[in-house]
Amino acid sequence: MLQAILHGKAGRIDGDKGQSISWREVFKGREDLMTAAVFGRFAYLSAPVQATLMQRWLGVTATTFDDFEQIDFWPSFSLENNDDRNRVEPDAVLNFASATVILEIKPPAGGDQYVAQWRREIASYLQAEDRSQLPLYFLAIGRIPSRAVVNDWIKKLNTEFESQLAGINALAWQPMINDILALDKGAFACEPNQQDKRIIADILHSARLYQLKIQAYSWQTLLDHPLPRLSLQQPLLQDKPLAKPQPQLSSVRTAKPQRLWHDLFTFAAAHPMSLKDINTWNK
C-alpha cells in the first residue's frame, strides 16, 4: 500500500463532505498512518541498527535495546483515579526483553505534544503491571515545544515517577530522520546490512510524504564543492561596453555591464532575504 501511495497509484476516496481526496493526502493527515509506516518497519531492522537508533533517540547508552521482541500499536490501558479519561491509548509500545519504550507520535502537520498526555500514558502503563518490572522509557516524536519547555516537562515527570521511569526524551521529526540518514551513510559504528538499507529506504520515502528532508545535504556540502573562483576582476564587472551588438540582439544584451549590475542590486535591495526565510525542516 505504501508503494502505491508513493507512486500515485492508490486512487482517491470520498471525504466527509463528499469531496474526492487522494490517498496521499489522507496519509499525510493521519498520525496513525505515519506511526505504522515508520515504526511498522522499525520492527524488521537488525538488532544492532535498532539499538543504535533507540540509544540516539532516547539519549541513553546504558541499555542496549538489541533484544527486540514485538511492537504493540495503539494498546489500550485503564487509568484509575482519573476524572477525565479512564482509558489511555499511546501510539505504540516497543517491547524489548530488557526494557519497554512508549511512543507518542505527532505528524509534522498535526496537533502539538502536551505533558498531560505523556503523564497519562506513563501512569496507565505502570498501573497495568504487565512488564512493569522492566525499565520503562518514554519517547515523544514530532510537534514538540521549545527545548526549555520539554526539559521542564521531563524534570517534572522524572520527579513524579521517580525510579519507575528509566528515561524520557522528545524529538522533532527532522533530527530523527537525520539519524536514519547518517546511519544509512555509515556515520555510526553500526553498519546496516542490505535488508536494513531496503527498510531504511522505505522509512525515508514515508518521511518525504511529510515534506521532511531525506537527502544528507548540508551547508558543508556546498562549501566543500569545488566551485570556480570569482573576483572583482571578472570582465563583467569592468565598466566597459560589450562588443558591438548584432542587429538581431535585444537592447538588454547591448546595455553596459554597469547598468545590468545596477538593476540587479536594485532588485536585490527591494527583495531582502535572511536565514529566517529558509525552511529549516524543524517539524
Side-chain angles (χ1 to χ4, degrees):
M1 184 63 179
L2 175 62
Q3 292 302 322
I5 292 172
L6 291 172
H7 291 87
K9 300 296 184 181
R12 306 178 71 86
I13 61 173
D14 292 331
D16 296 336
K17 298 181 180 180
Q19 75 275 31
S20 179
I21 307 173
S22 70
W23 266 107
R24 189 183 186 94
E25 292 304 312
V26 172
F27 195 97
K28 288 165 60 177
R30 294 295 302 272
E31 65 183 66
D32 293 344
L33 296 178
M34 189 174 192
T35 300
V38 174
F39 282 94
R41 285 158 177 76
F42 176 88
Y44 298 102
L45 293 169
S46 65
V49 169
Q50 288 178 335
T52 298
L53 291 176
M54 291 310 304
Q55 287 172 351
R56 290 191 61 83
W57 295 343
L58 285 167
V60 299
T61 57
T63 305
T64 59
F65 297 106
D66 61 356
D67 48 8
F68 177 79
E69 294 181 337
Q70 67 178 27
I71 180 170
D72 295 329
F73 288 104
W74 311 289
S76 181
F77 303 114
S78 62
L79 181 58
E80 300 176 2
N81 303 320
N82 186 278
D83 297 332
D84 297 327
R85 298 179 62 180
N86 56 13
R87 302 297 299 181
V88 178
E89 189 178 275
D91 289 313
V93 174
L94 299 175
N95 296 309
F96 297 85
S98 57
T100 303
V101 182
I102 299 174
L103 301 177
E104 180 52 42
I105 298 171
K106 305 291 185 186
D112 294 334
Q113 300 276 358
Y114 54 101
V115 69
Q117 184 178 28
W118 298 7
R119 181 181 290 107
R120 287 198 302 268
E121 292 177 2
I122 295 169
S124 64
Y125 183 85
L126 291 172
Q127 288 181 10
E129 294 185 359
D130 184 32
R131 291 175 55 91
S132 60
Q133 77 282 2
L134 296 175
L136 176 63
Y137 295 84
F138 184 91
L139 177 61
I141 301 172
R143 304 297 298 180
I144 63 171
S146 69
R147 195 71 235 177
V149 171
V150 166
N151 289 341
D152 183 59
W153 290 359
I154 290 174
K155 182 179 179 180
K156 290 179 178 178
L157 292 176
N158 278 327
T159 299
E160 182 174 344
F161 293 102
E162 296 181 357
S163 60
Q164 294 175 295
L165 191 60
I168 179 171
N169 199 19
L171 292 172
W173 271 105
Q174 193 59 58
M176 175 183 163
I177 295 300
N178 290 346
D179 280 343
I180 296 177
L181 285 168
L183 176 71
D184 192 40
K185 298 298 182 181
F188 304 141
C190 168
E191 183 69 28
N193 58 38
Q194 289 304 311
Q195 177 175 315
D196 290 326
K197 286 182 172 294
R198 288 191 289 269
I199 296 168
I200 287 171
D202 269 359
I203 294 175
L204 293 176
H205 286 315
S206 300
R208 187 177 61 184
L209 283 175
Y210 296 87
Q211 287 77 53
L212 294 166
K213 180 172 69 75
I214 64 168
Q215 297 292 335
Y217 297 140
S218 64
W219 287 112
Q220 194 60 45
T221 304
L222 179 62
L223 294 174
D224 291 342
H225 191 76
L227 296 171
R229 286 184 173 275
L230 295 177
S231 74
L232 294 177
Q233 303 304 315
Q234 295 294 320
L236 283 177
L237 290 174
Q238 306 304 311
D239 187 15
K240 297 178 180 178
L242 295 177
K244 185 176 180 180
Q246 300 297 320
Q248 69 272 23
L249 296 179
S250 68
S251 60
V252 174
R253 291 283 302 277
T254 63
K256 289 186 176 182
Q258 186 181 48
R259 177 62 183 174
L260 294 177
W261 282 102
H262 176 271
D263 292 344
L264 177 61
F265 293 149
T266 301
F267 176 84
H271 299 79
M273 178 175 286
S274 71
L275 290 178
K276 293 182 179 179
D277 299 310
I278 300 175
N279 183 358
T280 59
W281 300 284
N282 185 26
K283 301 177 181 177

